[in-house]
Amino acid sequence: SLSSLQQVLHTFIGKDISSFFEITLAAMVFTLTFWPDSKTYALFPDIFEISFALLYALWGLNHILAICFRPSTAILCGIVLAFLSFLCAGLRPRGPDLANSLGGYGIIFL
């Protein structure tokens, strides 16, 4: 039988809703361990929002990797992608410096 677009959308929405609680818990644990020792001027809700957004984005990318690759390769690519996302966040090296690198093609990394 063929799946309708409505069935596919319900599947993705259901998966997001069920993943929401796990992502929220992971973001809360990260924020509670990172924020007290970070000595930053950012408030607790700011750090929580940033960690939630990062985890939510990586969660979706890991689902895409799981579809495209074998399980062992998808896990390795997910770990590398998480580290590259952190390294290319624009803090060090600075965003403009990274964008101007590689003959102007450094913008791909941002």
Side-chain angles (χ1 to χ4, degrees), residues 23 51-64 81 85:
I23 294 171
S51 61
F52 183 86
L54 176 70
L55 286 170
Y56 186 78
L58 287 176
W59 199 273
L61 289 173
N62 285 335
H63 279 289
I64 293 170
L81 185 65
S85 295

Side-chain angles (χ1 to χ4, degrees), residues 31 35 40-48:
T31 305
W35 182 68
T40 181
Y41 292 115
L43 299 174
F44 182 86
D46 296 333
I47 300 295
F48 177 77

Side-chain angles (χ1 to χ4, degrees), residues 29-100:
V29 168
F30 173 80
T31 305
L32 287 172
T33 55
F34 173 77
W35 182 68
D37 294 331
S38 66
K39 296 186 181 22
T40 181
Y41 292 115
L43 299 174
F44 182 86
D46 296 333
I47 300 295
F48 177 77
E49 289 173 3
I50 291 168
S51 61
F52 183 86
L54 176 70
L55 286 170
Y56 186 78
L58 287 176
W59 199 273
L61 289 173
N62 285 335
H63 279 289
I64 293 170
L65 291 173
I67 292 169
C68 295
F69 299 112
R70 293 187 336 243
S72 59
T73 307
I75 291 171
L76 181 63
C77 289
I79 293 169
V80 170
L81 185 65
F83 282 118
L84 286 177
S85 295
F86 179 73
L87 290 175
C88 296
L91 299 174
R92 296 267 183 230
R94 292 184 29 229
D97 297 338
L98 187 62
N100 294 329

